[in-house]
Amino acid sequence: MKSVRKALRDGELEKDTYDRLVCGECEKPLKTENDPDEIKTVRICPDCAAEWKEIR
């Protein structure tokens, strides 16, 4: 699983006009999955199910 920052640099993710993360392939806003016991947040594309991690 790649980090959000690395995916933004590689062009896999983009930001829309409201600074929301958007999948580069599907152009859909990402969903967030928070686990209270983990230090990271997982960002998931609803269409292609690709995942990226984001440190909180």
Side-chain angles (χ1 to χ4, degrees):
M1 182 178 337
K2 221 178 206 184
S3 72
V4 169
R5 293 179 76 191
K6 189 175 271 190
L8 281 168
R9 282 182 286 198
D10 292 345
E12 295 176 21
L13 293 178
E14 299 171 0
K15 287 192 173 187
D16 65 1
T17 55
Y18 300 107
D19 267 348
R20 292 179 295 206
L21 291 173
V22 177
C23 181
E25 292 180 25
C26 307
E27 298 180 0
K28 297 280 184 175
L30 300 181
K31 304 280 182 185
T32 304
E33 181 178 291
N34 289 328
D35 185 6
D37 297 332
E38 296 281 329
I39 192 169
K40 66 182 179 193
T41 300
V42 178
R43 306 298 301 247
I44 304 168
C45 178
D47 284 350
C48 65
E51 296 182 348
W52 297 273
K53 65 182 175 183
E54 182 175 40
I55 303 296
R56 290 189 248 159

